[in-house]
Amino acid sequence: MTGCKTTEKIIETKYVLPPKPQRKELQAPQSLKDYAEIINYYEHLVQEWENWGNTVSAMVQ
């Protein structure tokens, strides 16, 4: 005589993540204006990564 056995149903969820922000190669700065543009570029890149992280976090919750 066999008894009942409880089995756990495993649910696999696959996520399609948005593409990661990509960094572009920048030329060495030659002037103060170049430095300002590089700082501005990296500030926006950080914001893109933060938005990407928030999007991914929202998807998996």
Side-chain angles (χ1 to χ4, degrees), residues 26 31-44:
L26 302 175
S31 67
L32 189 58
K33 180 182 177 188
D34 293 343
Y35 280 105
E37 289 174 355
I38 290 171
I39 291 170
N40 187 44
Y41 168 77
Y42 279 109
E43 177 62 28
H44 285 92

Side-chain angles (χ1 to χ4, degrees), residues 1-17:
M1 180 175 185
T2 59
C4 293
K5 180 179 178 185
T6 302
T7 59
E8 186 175 321
K9 185 176 183 180
I10 298 174
I11 299 173
E12 288 188 31
T13 304
K14 294 187 180 189
Y15 298 100
V16 178
L17 301 178

Side-chain angles (χ1 to χ4, degrees), residues 37-55:
E37 289 174 355
I38 290 171
I39 291 170
N40 187 44
Y41 168 77
Y42 279 109
E43 177 62 28
H44 285 92
L45 185 60
V46 167
Q47 290 175 1
E48 286 182 44
W49 271 104
E50 289 172 342
N51 290 337
W52 183 86
N54 291 338
T55 300

